[in-house]
Amino acid sequence: KAGVTQTPRYLIKTRGQQVTLSCSPISGHRSVSWYQQTPGQGLQFLFEYFSETQRNKGNFPGRFSGRQFSNSRSEMNVSTLELGDSALYLCASRDRTANYGYTFGSGTRLTVV
Amino acid sequence: TQLLEQSPQFLSIQEGENLTVYCNSSSVFSSLQWYRQEPGEGPVLLVTVVTGGEVKKLKRLTFQFGDARKDSSLHITAAQPGDTGLYLCAGTNTGNQFYFGTGTSLTVIP
């Protein structure tokens, strides 16, 4: 089974620009979640999608948005980038209930300059 | 908010030593998971415990879920440099929501 694939792995953007990150979950996993990870704040939940519907949302500004397609692939978008958005963005998919845990992708390292 | 506090935050030990990492909360969880993350990569699931008092062993790693399902511990015997990484606990509730701990950064010195 292929793992969770995130693209791109690395990205450098300028303040004020927007960015789109992509995630392909494990085949058969319908739930996809996004997290932001920084050294100071740890792993922060952004949102979860299940069958193309956003089920849960973390405490992030509206500049952060996402969507899920019918094949369960997901994208997240950050508009009007700020320096503080520099982080490792992780996508995770899961099967059935949360007790089975997440499978994470390798992440997208976003640097805003 | 269902907070999970991990201790210690940082740990640096010599190869061959034993260590224990703690994950504590005032909330009850349906399950508790442990992940290990290496630099530049995503976390990898090590184990899931679901029953209060449950103990699971994975080679030199022993995981325990507290009787009240509010806390957990991870014990590593005879640590090796390959154990180096960030250890994260995560609790889940009946709504399938995840709550990640603050993380423990472990360095094992050869």
Side-chain angles (χ1 to χ4, degrees), chain A residues 9-10 35 37 42-43 48 55-56 88 90 94 96-107 109, chain B residues 30-31 33 35 37 40-45 48 50 86 88 92-93 95-102:
Chain A
R9 283 297 308 271
Y10 303 93
Y35 286 84
Q37 188 176 36
L43 213 58
E48 178 192 12
R55 300 188 89 182
N56 291 299
L88 180 67
L90 291 162
R94 64 171 175 84
R96 291 183 280 177
T97 73
N99 287 2
Y100 289 89
Y102 278 135
T103 300
F104 280 89
S106 296
R109 171 70 64 185
Chain B
S30 300
S31 74
Q33 295 155 10
Y35 295 79
Q37 184 179 20
E41 297 294 328
V44 174
L45 179 66
T48 297
V50 296
L86 178 68
L88 294 160
T92 65
N93 62 16
N96 289 324
Q97 291 175 305
F98 286 74
Y99 299 89
F100 278 87
T102 47

Side-chain angles (χ1 to χ4, degrees), chain B residues 40-61:
Chain B
E41 297 294 328
V44 174
L45 179 66
L46 296 174
V47 76
T48 297
V49 284
V50 296
T51 306
E54 182 176 2
V55 177
K56 279 192 175 179
K57 292 191 175 184
L58 186 66
K59 296 183 181 178
R60 295 175 294 99
L61 279 60

Side-chain angles (χ1 to χ4, degrees), chain B:
Chain B
T1 304
Q2 296 176 269
L3 290 174
L4 278 165
E5 295 288 335
Q6 287 185 237
S7 61
Q9 188 177 357
F10 298 96
L11 194 52
S12 181
I13 62 171
Q14 295 289 330
E15 182 177 359
E17 292 184 349
N18 301 332
L19 66 114
T20 301
V21 177
Y22 299 93
C23 174
N24 295 299
S25 176
S26 58
S27 301
V28 176
F29 293 102
S30 300
S31 74
L32 201 295
Q33 295 155 10
W34 286 92
Y35 295 79
R36 180 171 66 213
Q37 184 179 20
E38 298 185 11
E41 297 294 328
V44 174
L45 179 66
L46 296 174
V47 76
T48 297
V49 284
V50 296
T51 306
E54 182 176 2
V55 177
K56 279 192 175 179
K57 292 191 175 184
L58 186 66
K59 296 183 181 178
R60 295 175 294 99
L61 279 60
T62 302
F63 306 86
Q64 183 162 10
F65 200 9
D67 291 340
R69 290 186 290 133
K70 293 182 179 181
D71 53 78
S72 180
S73 64
L74 157 60
H75 182 78
I76 301 179
T77 303
Q80 298 177 0
D83 295 327
T84 293
L86 178 68
Y87 288 81
L88 294 160
C89 64
T92 65
N93 62 16
T94 53
N96 289 324
Q97 291 175 305
F98 286 74
Y99 299 89
F100 278 87
T102 47
T104 295
S105 179
L106 170 65
T107 302
V108 181
I109 303 165

